[in-house]
Amino acid sequence: MSLQRELEGLITQERKRALTVWSKVCFAIGGAPYQITATALGFFLQIFLLDVALLDPLNASVILFAGRAWDAVTDPAVGFLISRSPWTRHGRMMPWILMSTIPAVLCYFLIWVVPPIEQGKMMWYLLFYCLFQTLQTCFHVPYSALTMFISNKQQERDSATAYRMTVEVLGTVIGTAVQGQIVGMANTPCINNTTPTNSSSHSRRAYMIASAVISLIYVLCAVVLFFGVREQDNQGGLKAQKHVSFQTGLRLVMGHGPYVKLVLAFLFTSLAFMLLEGNFAVFIKYTLGFREDFQNILLVIMLSATLTIPMWQWFLCRFGKKTAVYIGIPWAGPFMILVVCVKSSLLVSYIVSIAAGASVAAAFLLPWSMLPDVVDDFKVQNPTSQGHEAIFYSFYVFFTKFASGVSLGVSTLALSFAGYVTGVCVQSDSVNLTLKILVSAAPVSLIVLGLLIFKMYPINEERRQYNNKQLQLLLR
């Protein structure tokens, strides 16, 4: 009888630890702030700096590249600080998420303010952009690593990741809709010559209103995450884990072959979609000439991505994650080529947006679905070296953000060299050619390179199942 009661107690405990749908939803909502702000910045910051703040393209390029590069550098640092943080009654990740929220939204709001100074305008944007990226890192790195601490079961983590990616892509829709629609109602007037026009106070106010709305959503999502998710210690002796140095952590992550191959492959594919994201609004506005419709076209991309996330989750469960990569990531390639080859057409632009959205969904879902597999693989191969989840996640975020910084900096610099003029309705042929390369030829080439690297990625479905069984034995 005592054995039976013990078994019943274990079963009851296991049920309590199992992730509920509510926990998955609350966990997923925590991913929205990063995507909402990242989408607003990715699609609109370049246009804001050039056409509203009236910065020189070279100065805008410095801000975008330096800000993202700084953001990338802070990720490993935050990852190591988290790994050294003591375990609290709220866990290890949650305190970081909560404490960084309010300062982050204040800095985010100030990014979209045009200061009443001319000389120090560039430093204003560089300062608050870097501060926001640092504070958001203190939110996003622990949130990403939290995936490994909500459950010790692959199936539950994969399910929670699918919920998260659905909400994150929905977050891109919200970011595009809030920023695009509010700003779209206050489009800055332009003139058909090379003399730039001053942005109206109405346009500046629209950007501030949009940023205030997004800041409020950011705070609400952080509160839901904090109160709706319970962080679990799945490592047994994690609280007493030995700290590692930066060099040791770097050797750990760079010494694990599957992790390196996965990061490199997604580094190039992510860079492709970041180039598309960062330049598509400018491409639609100037090269295609749909100045009044660009925010709606961007919204269609993100709606399409949101609706196709469940399809890709079903596909990767049915056919495997590697197969999903080969089908989902290159899906947008032909449509990227189509949009620059066909004569400017609003209908074609919307068709391309729908197709591109499906590929964006795969690019969102797959890296975060596959990272836990790499961490599990590391645990199986290094059973005496545990508790490095934050390091793995922070370095992945580091590489993707560095790629984002490169894409934004190179894009704006290329437009500067091509002769981009702020405030005009029609850009030169050299600017339009540059935009075509940035949204078509360059992304397609990067996707091909990423897929070639991905062929060397060794973790297939058989290896995933083997790792899962080994981890269950280690946890007993």
Side-chain angles (χ1 to χ4, degrees), residues 139-175:
F139 182 106
H140 188 59
V141 168
Y143 172 75
S144 301
L146 188 62
T147 306
M148 301 301 297
F149 295 95
I150 57 175
S151 176
N152 59 6
K153 295 180 179 179
Q154 282 185 357
Q155 187 175 5
E156 287 188 342
R157 292 201 306 260
D158 286 347
S159 176
T161 299
Y163 275 79
R164 172 191 166 188
M165 291 301 107
T166 302
V167 173
E168 286 199 9
V169 178
L170 183 60
T172 66
V173 174
I174 295 171

PDB file of all heavy atoms in Angstrom, residues 139-175:
ATOM      1  N   PHE A 139      15.795  41.686 -20.553  1.00  0.00           N
ATOM      2  CA  PHE A 139      14.477  41.054 -20.596  1.00  0.00           C
ATOM      3  C   PHE A 139      14.511  39.811 -21.479  1.00  0.00           C
ATOM      4  O   PHE A 139      14.042  38.739 -21.080  1.00  0.00           O
ATOM      5  CB  PHE A 139      13.449  42.057 -21.145  1.00  0.00           C
ATOM      6  CG  PHE A 139      12.028  41.541 -21.186  1.00  0.00           C
ATOM      7  CD1 PHE A 139      11.092  41.993 -20.263  1.00  0.00           C
ATOM      8  CD2 PHE A 139      11.618  40.629 -22.144  1.00  0.00           C
ATOM      9  CE1 PHE A 139       9.773  41.535 -20.301  1.00  0.00           C
ATOM     10  CE2 PHE A 139      10.316  40.166 -22.196  1.00  0.00           C
ATOM     11  CZ  PHE A 139       9.390  40.615 -21.262  1.00  0.00           C
ATOM     12  N   HIS A 140      15.083  39.955 -22.673  1.00  0.00           N
ATOM     13  CA  HIS A 140      14.921  38.914 -23.693  1.00  0.00           C
ATOM     14  C   HIS A 140      15.821  37.701 -23.469  1.00  0.00           C
ATOM     15  O   HIS A 140      15.396  36.568 -23.723  1.00  0.00           O
ATOM     16  CB  HIS A 140      15.194  39.510 -25.072  1.00  0.00           C
ATOM     17  CG  HIS A 140      14.863  38.581 -26.192  1.00  0.00           C
ATOM     18  ND1 HIS A 140      13.601  38.065 -26.375  1.00  0.00           N
ATOM     19  CD2 HIS A 140      15.630  38.058 -27.189  1.00  0.00           C
ATOM     20  CE1 HIS A 140      13.590  37.274 -27.436  1.00  0.00           C
ATOM     21  NE2 HIS A 140      14.816  37.258 -27.944  1.00  0.00           N
ATOM     22  N   VAL A 141      17.053  37.899 -23.027  1.00  0.00           N
ATOM     23  CA  VAL A 141      17.944  36.751 -22.806  1.00  0.00           C
ATOM     24  C   VAL A 141      17.396  35.829 -21.715  1.00  0.00           C
ATOM     25  O   VAL A 141      17.281  34.617 -21.930  1.00  0.00           O
ATOM     26  CB  VAL A 141      19.382  37.217 -22.490  1.00  0.00           C
ATOM     27  CG1 VAL A 141      20.225  36.050 -21.985  1.00  0.00           C
ATOM     28  CG2 VAL A 141      20.017  37.808 -23.742  1.00  0.00           C
ATOM     29  N   PRO A 142      17.025  36.341 -20.532  1.00  0.00           N
ATOM     30  CA  PRO A 142      16.441  35.428 -19.542  1.00  0.00           C
ATOM     31  C   PRO A 142      15.106  34.845 -19.991  1.00  0.00           C
ATOM     32  O   PRO A 142      14.796  33.700 -19.673  1.00  0.00           O
ATOM     33  CB  PRO A 142      16.262  36.311 -18.294  1.00  0.00           C
ATOM     34  CG  PRO A 142      16.345  37.706 -18.763  1.00  0.00           C
ATOM     35  CD  PRO A 142      17.227  37.691 -19.962  1.00  0.00           C
ATOM     36  N   TYR A 143      14.326  35.619 -20.749  1.00  0.00           N
ATOM     37  CA  TYR A 143      13.067  35.070 -21.253  1.00  0.00           C
ATOM     38  C   TYR A 143      13.329  33.913 -22.215  1.00  0.00           C
ATOM     39  O   TYR A 143      12.650  32.875 -22.157  1.00  0.00           O
ATOM     40  CB  TYR A 143      12.247  36.155 -21.963  1.00  0.00           C
ATOM     41  CG  TYR A 143      11.044  35.580 -22.660  1.00  0.00           C
ATOM     42  CD1 TYR A 143       9.922  35.177 -21.926  1.00  0.00           C
ATOM     43  CD2 TYR A 143      11.025  35.402 -24.041  1.00  0.00           C
ATOM     44  CE1 TYR A 143       8.820  34.620 -22.558  1.00  0.00           C
ATOM     45  CE2 TYR A 143       9.932  34.852 -24.677  1.00  0.00           C
ATOM     46  CZ  TYR A 143       8.829  34.465 -23.927  1.00  0.00           C
ATOM     47  OH  TYR A 143       7.745  33.892 -24.557  1.00  0.00           O
ATOM     48  N   SER A 144      14.300  34.059 -23.095  1.00  0.00           N
ATOM     49  CA  SER A 144      14.628  32.984 -24.038  1.00  0.00           C
ATOM     50  C   SER A 144      15.107  31.737 -23.302  1.00  0.00           C
ATOM     51  O   SER A 144      14.699  30.615 -23.610  1.00  0.00           O
ATOM     52  CB  SER A 144      15.704  33.455 -25.021  1.00  0.00           C
ATOM     53  OG  SER A 144      15.268  34.576 -25.742  1.00  0.00           O
ATOM     54  N   ALA A 145      15.992  31.933 -22.321  1.00  0.00           N
ATOM     55  CA  ALA A 145      16.504  30.794 -21.549  1.00  0.00           C
ATOM     56  C   ALA A 145      15.430  30.167 -20.684  1.00  0.00           C
ATOM     57  O   ALA A 145      15.531  28.985 -20.309  1.00  0.00           O
ATOM     58  CB  ALA A 145      17.676  31.244 -20.683  1.00  0.00           C
ATOM     59  N   LEU A 146      14.378  30.914 -20.388  1.00  0.00           N
ATOM     60  CA  LEU A 146      13.280  30.397 -19.564  1.00  0.00           C
ATOM     61  C   LEU A 146      12.630  29.170 -20.198  1.00  0.00           C
ATOM     62  O   LEU A 146      12.020  28.350 -19.506  1.00  0.00           O
ATOM     63  CB  LEU A 146      12.239  31.503 -19.357  1.00  0.00           C
ATOM     64  CG  LEU A 146      11.094  31.234 -18.369  1.00  0.00           C
ATOM     65  CD1 LEU A 146      11.638  31.001 -16.960  1.00  0.00           C
ATOM     66  CD2 LEU A 146      10.115  32.407 -18.374  1.00  0.00           C
ATOM     67  N   THR A 147      12.765  29.021 -21.513  1.00  0.00           N
ATOM     68  CA  THR A 147      12.234  27.842 -22.216  1.00  0.00           C
ATOM     69  C   THR A 147      12.711  26.554 -21.561  1.00  0.00           C
ATOM     70  O   THR A 147      11.954  25.578 -21.461  1.00  0.00           O
ATOM     71  CB  THR A 147      12.673  27.864 -23.692  1.00  0.00           C
ATOM     72  OG1 THR A 147      12.308  29.109 -24.275  1.00  0.00           O
ATOM     73  CG2 THR A 147      12.028  26.728 -24.470  1.00  0.00           C
ATOM     74  N   MET A 148      13.955  26.550 -21.113  1.00  0.00           N
ATOM     75  CA  MET A 148      14.531  25.341 -20.533  1.00  0.00           C
ATOM     76  C   MET A 148      14.087  25.129 -19.087  1.00  0.00           C
ATOM     77  O   MET A 148      14.338  24.070 -18.504  1.00  0.00           O
ATOM     78  CB  MET A 148      16.061  25.407 -20.578  1.00  0.00           C
ATOM     79  CG  MET A 148      16.640  25.569 -21.973  1.00  0.00           C
ATOM     80  SD  MET A 148      16.179  24.242 -23.116  1.00  0.00           S
ATOM     81  CE  MET A 148      16.919  22.817 -22.335  1.00  0.00           C
ATOM     82  N   PHE A 149      13.407  26.126 -18.492  1.00  0.00           N
ATOM     83  CA  PHE A 149      13.039  26.042 -17.074  1.00  0.00           C
ATOM     84  C   PHE A 149      11.538  26.008 -16.831  1.00  0.00           C
ATOM     85  O   PHE A 149      11.098  26.094 -15.695  1.00  0.00           O
ATOM     86  CB  PHE A 149      13.651  27.227 -16.304  1.00  0.00           C
ATOM     87  CG  PHE A 149      15.148  27.198 -16.266  1.00  0.00           C
ATOM     88  CD1 PHE A 149      15.895  27.902 -17.196  1.00  0.00           C
ATOM     89  CD2 PHE A 149      15.811  26.435 -15.315  1.00  0.00           C
ATOM     90  CE1 PHE A 149      17.275  27.871 -17.172  1.00  0.00           C
ATOM     91  CE2 PHE A 149      17.195  26.397 -15.283  1.00  0.00           C
ATOM     92  CZ  PHE A 149      17.932  27.114 -16.213  1.00  0.00           C
ATOM     93  N   ILE A 150      10.766  25.886 -17.898  1.00  0.00           N
ATOM     94  CA  ILE A 150       9.321  25.737 -17.711  1.00  0.00           C
ATOM     95  C   ILE A 150       8.919  24.269 -17.733  1.00  0.00           C
ATOM     96  O   ILE A 150       7.832  23.910 -17.272  1.00  0.00           O
ATOM     97  CB  ILE A 150       8.528  26.525 -18.773  1.00  0.00           C
ATOM     98  CG1 ILE A 150       8.933  26.090 -20.179  1.00  0.00           C
ATOM     99  CG2 ILE A 150       8.723  28.016 -18.594  1.00  0.00           C
ATOM    100  CD1 ILE A 150       8.116  26.746 -21.265  1.00  0.00           C
ATOM    101  N   SER A 151       9.815  23.411 -18.259  1.00  0.00           N
ATOM    102  CA  SER A 151       9.542  21.974 -18.281  1.00  0.00           C
ATOM    103  C   SER A 151      10.828  21.239 -18.633  1.00  0.00           C
ATOM    104  O   SER A 151      11.719  21.793 -19.282  1.00  0.00           O
ATOM    105  CB  SER A 151       8.455  21.649 -19.314  1.00  0.00           C
ATOM    106  OG  SER A 151       8.261  20.246 -19.403  1.00  0.00           O
ATOM    107  N   ASN A 152      10.918  19.975 -18.215  1.00  0.00           N
ATOM    108  CA  ASN A 152      12.069  19.159 -18.604  1.00  0.00           C
ATOM    109  C   ASN A 152      11.705  18.179 -19.711  1.00  0.00           C
ATOM    110  O   ASN A 152      12.479  17.284 -20.029  1.00  0.00           O
ATOM    111  CB  ASN A 152      12.649  18.407 -17.397  1.00  0.00           C
ATOM    112  CG  ASN A 152      11.621  17.493 -16.744  1.00  0.00           C
ATOM    113  OD1 ASN A 152      10.504  17.330 -17.246  1.00  0.00           O
ATOM    114  ND2 ASN A 152      11.981  16.900 -15.617  1.00  0.00           N
ATOM    115  N   LYS A 153      10.528  18.343 -20.318  1.00  0.00           N
ATOM    116  CA  LYS A 153      10.063  17.452 -21.374  1.00  0.00           C
ATOM    117  C   LYS A 153      10.135  18.158 -22.725  1.00  0.00           C
ATOM    118  O   LYS A 153       9.642  19.268 -22.886  1.00  0.00           O
ATOM    119  CB  LYS A 153       8.625  17.007 -21.104  1.00  0.00           C
ATOM    120  CG  LYS A 153       8.478  16.163 -19.848  1.00  0.00           C
ATOM    121  CD  LYS A 153       7.026  15.751 -19.640  1.00  0.00           C
ATOM    122  CE  LYS A 153       6.875  14.883 -18.395  1.00  0.00           C
ATOM    123  NZ  LYS A 153       5.467  14.486 -18.167  1.00  0.00           N
ATOM    124  N   GLN A 154      10.743  17.461 -23.704  1.00  0.00           N
ATOM    125  CA  GLN A 154      10.883  18.041 -25.031  1.00  0.00           C
ATOM    126  C   GLN A 154       9.534  18.412 -25.636  1.00  0.00           C
ATOM    127  O   GLN A 154       9.367  19.487 -26.223  1.00  0.00           O
ATOM    128  CB  GLN A 154      11.596  17.056 -25.971  1.00  0.00           C
ATOM    129  CG  GLN A 154      13.089  16.979 -25.787  1.00  0.00           C
ATOM    130  CD  GLN A 154      13.732  16.079 -26.829  1.00  0.00           C
ATOM    131  OE1 GLN A 154      13.045  15.470 -27.648  1.00  0.00           O
ATOM    132  NE2 GLN A 154      15.047  15.989 -26.799  1.00  0.00           N
ATOM    133  N   GLN A 155       8.558  17.507 -25.499  1.00  0.00           N
ATOM    134  CA  GLN A 155       7.262  17.725 -26.126  1.00  0.00           C
ATOM    135  C   GLN A 155       6.581  18.978 -25.560  1.00  0.00           C
ATOM    136  O   GLN A 155       6.018  19.783 -26.302  1.00  0.00           O
ATOM    137  CB  GLN A 155       6.366  16.504 -25.915  1.00  0.00           C
ATOM    138  CG  GLN A 155       5.053  16.569 -26.691  1.00  0.00           C
ATOM    139  CD  GLN A 155       4.253  15.293 -26.550  1.00  0.00           C
ATOM    140  OE1 GLN A 155       4.624  14.386 -25.802  1.00  0.00           O
ATOM    141  NE2 GLN A 155       3.144  15.208 -27.267  1.00  0.00           N
ATOM    142  N   GLU A 156       6.667  19.167 -24.244  1.00  0.00           N
ATOM    143  CA  GLU A 156       6.056  20.352 -23.638  1.00  0.00           C
ATOM    144  C   GLU A 156       6.798  21.618 -24.037  1.00  0.00           C
ATOM    145  O   GLU A 156       6.180  22.661 -24.288  1.00  0.00           O
ATOM    146  CB  GLU A 156       6.035  20.208 -22.116  1.00  0.00           C
ATOM    147  CG  GLU A 156       5.002  19.206 -21.611  1.00  0.00           C
ATOM    148  CD  GLU A 156       4.861  19.234 -20.094  1.00  0.00           C
ATOM    149  OE1 GLU A 156       5.787  19.754 -19.429  1.00  0.00           O
ATOM    150  OE2 GLU A 156       3.836  18.761 -19.594  1.00  0.00           O
ATOM    151  N   ARG A 157       8.119  21.551 -24.105  1.00  0.00           N
ATOM    152  CA  ARG A 157       8.893  22.721 -24.517  1.00  0.00           C
ATOM    153  C   ARG A 157       8.599  23.092 -25.963  1.00  0.00           C
ATOM    154  O   ARG A 157       8.474  24.265 -26.303  1.00  0.00           O
ATOM    155  CB  ARG A 157      10.387  22.471 -24.318  1.00  0.00           C
ATOM    156  CG  ARG A 157      10.820  22.375 -22.863  1.00  0.00           C
ATOM    157  CD  ARG A 157      12.307  22.651 -22.727  1.00  0.00           C
ATOM    158  NE  ARG A 157      13.103  21.807 -23.590  1.00  0.00           N
ATOM    159  CZ  ARG A 157      13.744  20.703 -23.190  1.00  0.00           C
ATOM    160  NH1 ARG A 157      13.657  20.314 -21.928  1.00  0.00           N
ATOM    161  NH2 ARG A 157      14.457  20.014 -24.034  1.00  0.00           N
ATOM    162  N   ASP A 158       8.496  22.066 -26.839  1.00  0.00           N
ATOM    163  CA  ASP A 158       8.174  22.337 -28.237  1.00  0.00           C
ATOM    164  C   ASP A 158       6.791  22.966 -28.363  1.00  0.00           C
ATOM    165  O   ASP A 158       6.580  23.879 -29.161  1.00  0.00           O
ATOM    166  CB  ASP A 158       8.232  21.050 -29.066  1.00  0.00           C
ATOM    167  CG  ASP A 158       9.655  20.577 -29.315  1.00  0.00           C
ATOM    168  OD1 ASP A 158      10.582  21.370 -29.063  1.00  0.00           O
ATOM    169  OD2 ASP A 158       9.840  19.427 -29.739  1.00  0.00           O
ATOM    170  N   SER A 159       5.835  22.456 -27.582  1.00  0.00           N
ATOM    171  CA  SER A 159       4.484  23.012 -27.612  1.00  0.00           C
ATOM    172  C   SER A 159       4.483  24.458 -27.117  1.00  0.00           C
ATOM    173  O   SER A 159       3.870  25.345 -27.727  1.00  0.00           O
ATOM    174  CB  SER A 159       3.543  22.157 -26.756  1.00  0.00           C
ATOM    175  OG  SER A 159       2.254  22.718 -26.701  1.00  0.00           O
ATOM    176  N   ALA A 160       5.191  24.703 -26.009  1.00  0.00           N
ATOM    177  CA  ALA A 160       5.273  26.065 -25.480  1.00  0.00           C
ATOM    178  C   ALA A 160       5.970  27.000 -26.465  1.00  0.00           C
ATOM    179  O   ALA A 160       5.587  28.176 -26.611  1.00  0.00           O
ATOM    180  CB  ALA A 160       6.022  26.064 -24.143  1.00  0.00           C
ATOM    181  N   THR A 161       6.982  26.485 -27.175  1.00  0.00           N
ATOM    182  CA  THR A 161       7.675  27.295 -28.185  1.00  0.00           C
ATOM    183  C   THR A 161       6.744  27.649 -29.327  1.00  0.00           C
ATOM    184  O   THR A 161       6.791  28.769 -29.857  1.00  0.00           O
ATOM    185  CB  THR A 161       8.910  26.543 -28.713  1.00  0.00           C
ATOM    186  OG1 THR A 161       9.817  26.293 -27.637  1.00  0.00           O
ATOM    187  CG2 THR A 161       9.617  27.349 -29.790  1.00  0.00           C
ATOM    188  N   ALA A 162       5.880  26.705 -29.730  1.00  0.00           N
ATOM    189  CA  ALA A 162       4.910  27.002 -30.790  1.00  0.00           C
ATOM    190  C   ALA A 162       3.937  28.091 -30.346  1.00  0.00           C
ATOM    191  O   ALA A 162       3.617  29.008 -31.115  1.00  0.00           O
ATOM    192  CB  ALA A 162       4.144  25.736 -31.171  1.00  0.00           C
ATOM    193  N   TYR A 163       3.477  27.994 -29.093  1.00  0.00           N
ATOM    194  CA  TYR A 163       2.628  29.055 -28.551  1.00  0.00           C
ATOM    195  C   TYR A 163       3.379  30.389 -28.583  1.00  0.00           C
ATOM    196  O   TYR A 163       2.833  31.432 -28.977  1.00  0.00           O
ATOM    197  CB  TYR A 163       2.237  28.745 -27.103  1.00  0.00           C
ATOM    198  CG  TYR A 163       1.037  27.851 -26.932  1.00  0.00           C
ATOM    199  CD1 TYR A 163       1.138  26.469 -27.082  1.00  0.00           C
ATOM    200  CD2 TYR A 163      -0.208  28.377 -26.603  1.00  0.00           C
ATOM    201  CE1 TYR A 163       0.036  25.642 -26.910  1.00  0.00           C
ATOM    202  CE2 TYR A 163      -1.313  27.564 -26.424  1.00  0.00           C
ATOM    203  CZ  TYR A 163      -1.184  26.183 -26.579  1.00  0.00           C
ATOM    204  OH  TYR A 163      -2.272  25.372 -26.418  1.00  0.00           O
ATOM    205  N   ARG A 164       4.633  30.333 -28.139  1.00  0.00           N
ATOM    206  CA  ARG A 164       5.434  31.549 -28.075  1.00  0.00           C
ATOM    207  C   ARG A 164       5.617  32.166 -29.452  1.00  0.00           C
ATOM    208  O   ARG A 164       5.450  33.381 -29.627  1.00  0.00           O
ATOM    209  CB  ARG A 164       6.799  31.221 -27.464  1.00  0.00           C
ATOM    210  CG  ARG A 164       7.779  32.377 -27.529  1.00  0.00           C
ATOM    211  CD  ARG A 164       9.192  31.937 -27.164  1.00  0.00           C
ATOM    212  NE  ARG A 164      10.172  32.936 -27.541  1.00  0.00           N
ATOM    213  CZ  ARG A 164      11.478  32.757 -27.489  1.00  0.00           C
ATOM    214  NH1 ARG A 164      11.969  31.611 -27.090  1.00  0.00           N
ATOM    215  NH2 ARG A 164      12.294  33.727 -27.853  1.00  0.00           N
ATOM    216  N   MET A 165       5.947  31.346 -30.451  1.00  0.00           N
ATOM    217  CA  MET A 165       6.181  31.885 -31.783  1.00  0.00           C
ATOM    218  C   MET A 165       4.907  32.460 -32.393  1.00  0.00           C
ATOM    219  O   MET A 165       4.940  33.462 -33.108  1.00  0.00           O
ATOM    220  CB  MET A 165       6.754  30.802 -32.693  1.00  0.00           C
ATOM    221  CG  MET A 165       8.168  30.387 -32.345  1.00  0.00           C
ATOM    222  SD  MET A 165       9.334  31.774 -32.408  1.00  0.00           S
ATOM    223  CE  MET A 165       9.641  32.044 -30.666  1.00  0.00           C
ATOM    224  N   THR A 166       3.768  31.825 -32.101  1.00  0.00           N
ATOM    225  CA  THR A 166       2.498  32.365 -32.587  1.00  0.00           C
ATOM    226  C   THR A 166       2.250  33.746 -32.018  1.00  0.00           C
ATOM    227  O   THR A 166       1.893  34.692 -32.734  1.00  0.00           O
ATOM    228  CB  THR A 166       1.326  31.428 -32.212  1.00  0.00           C
ATOM    229  OG1 THR A 166       1.563  30.125 -32.751  1.00  0.00           O
ATOM    230  CG2 THR A 166       0.011  31.966 -32.758  1.00  0.00           C
ATOM    231  N   VAL A 167       2.460  33.893 -30.703  1.00  0.00           N
ATOM    232  CA  VAL A 167       2.245  35.191 -30.066  1.00  0.00           C
ATOM    233  C   VAL A 167       3.305  36.194 -30.512  1.00  0.00           C
ATOM    234  O   VAL A 167       3.013  37.383 -30.703  1.00  0.00           O
ATOM    235  CB  VAL A 167       2.237  35.043 -28.533  1.00  0.00           C
ATOM    236  CG1 VAL A 167       2.186  36.409 -27.857  1.00  0.00           C
ATOM    237  CG2 VAL A 167       1.046  34.202 -28.085  1.00  0.00           C
ATOM    238  N   GLU A 168       4.546  35.735 -30.710  1.00  0.00           N
ATOM    239  CA  GLU A 168       5.596  36.652 -31.138  1.00  0.00           C
ATOM    240  C   GLU A 168       5.321  37.191 -32.534  1.00  0.00           C
ATOM    241  O   GLU A 168       5.533  38.372 -32.810  1.00  0.00           O
ATOM    242  CB  GLU A 168       6.963  35.972 -31.069  1.00  0.00           C
ATOM    243  CG  GLU A 168       7.468  35.807 -29.642  1.00  0.00           C
ATOM    244  CD  GLU A 168       8.971  35.580 -29.568  1.00  0.00           C
ATOM    245  OE1 GLU A 168       9.635  35.716 -30.613  1.00  0.00           O
ATOM    246  OE2 GLU A 168       9.481  35.309 -28.469  1.00  0.00           O
ATOM    247  N   VAL A 169       4.871  36.304 -33.422  1.00  0.00           N
ATOM    248  CA  VAL A 169       4.531  36.792 -34.764  1.00  0.00           C
ATOM    249  C   VAL A 169       3.312  37.701 -34.685  1.00  0.00           C
ATOM    250  O   VAL A 169       3.219  38.706 -35.397  1.00  0.00           O
ATOM    251  CB  VAL A 169       4.293  35.619 -35.729  1.00  0.00           C
ATOM    252  CG1 VAL A 169       3.885  36.130 -37.102  1.00  0.00           C
ATOM    253  CG2 VAL A 169       5.543  34.774 -35.861  1.00  0.00           C
ATOM    254  N   LEU A 170       2.357  37.358 -33.805  1.00  0.00           N
ATOM    255  CA  LEU A 170       1.234  38.261 -33.564  1.00  0.00           C
ATOM    256  C   LEU A 170       1.750  39.592 -33.027  1.00  0.00           C
ATOM    257  O   LEU A 170       1.208  40.663 -33.340  1.00  0.00           O
ATOM    258  CB  LEU A 170       0.246  37.628 -32.583  1.00  0.00           C
ATOM    259  CG  LEU A 170      -1.028  38.429 -32.276  1.00  0.00           C
ATOM    260  CD1 LEU A 170      -1.825  38.660 -33.552  1.00  0.00           C
ATOM    261  CD2 LEU A 170      -1.870  37.710 -31.231  1.00  0.00           C
ATOM    262  N   GLY A 171       2.817  39.535 -32.224  1.00  0.00           N
ATOM    263  CA  GLY A 171       3.436  40.760 -31.738  1.00  0.00           C
ATOM    264  C   GLY A 171       3.981  41.610 -32.872  1.00  0.00           C
ATOM    265  O   GLY A 171       3.892  42.849 -32.829  1.00  0.00           O
ATOM    266  N   THR A 172       4.538  40.966 -33.894  1.00  0.00           N
ATOM    267  CA  THR A 172       5.005  41.737 -35.058  1.00  0.00           C
ATOM    268  C   THR A 172       3.833  42.390 -35.779  1.00  0.00           C
ATOM    269  O   THR A 172       3.964  43.494 -36.316  1.00  0.00           O
ATOM    270  CB  THR A 172       5.781  40.844 -36.040  1.00  0.00           C
ATOM    271  OG1 THR A 172       4.903  39.872 -36.617  1.00  0.00           O
ATOM    272  CG2 THR A 172       6.932  40.139 -35.351  1.00  0.00           C
ATOM    273  N   VAL A 173       2.687  41.694 -35.783  1.00  0.00           N
ATOM    274  CA  VAL A 173       1.480  42.288 -36.373  1.00  0.00           C
ATOM    275  C   VAL A 173       1.068  43.520 -35.575  1.00  0.00           C
ATOM    276  O   VAL A 173       0.753  44.578 -36.137  1.00  0.00           O
ATOM    277  CB  VAL A 173       0.324  41.270 -36.422  1.00  0.00           C
ATOM    278  CG1 VAL A 173      -0.958  41.931 -36.901  1.00  0.00           C
ATOM    279  CG2 VAL A 173       0.680  40.096 -37.317  1.00  0.00           C
ATOM    280  N   ILE A 174       1.062  43.375 -34.247  1.00  0.00           N
ATOM    281  CA  ILE A 174       0.676  44.500 -33.388  1.00  0.00           C
ATOM    282  C   ILE A 174       1.640  45.666 -33.577  1.00  0.00           C
ATOM    283  O   ILE A 174       1.237  46.825 -33.715  1.00  0.00           O
ATOM    284  CB  ILE A 174       0.634  44.063 -31.915  1.00  0.00           C
ATOM    285  CG1 ILE A 174      -0.471  43.012 -31.701  1.00  0.00           C
ATOM    286  CG2 ILE A 174       0.408  45.260 -30.992  1.00  0.00           C
ATOM    287  CD1 ILE A 174      -0.452  42.370 -30.333  1.00  0.00           C
ATOM    288  N   GLY A 175       2.950  45.352 -33.582  1.00  0.00           N
ATOM    289  CA  GLY A 175       3.937  46.413 -33.779  1.00  0.00           C
ATOM    290  C   GLY A 175       3.773  47.109 -35.107  1.00  0.00           C
ATOM    291  O   GLY A 175       3.825  48.341 -35.197  1.00  0.00           O
TER     292      GLY A 175
END
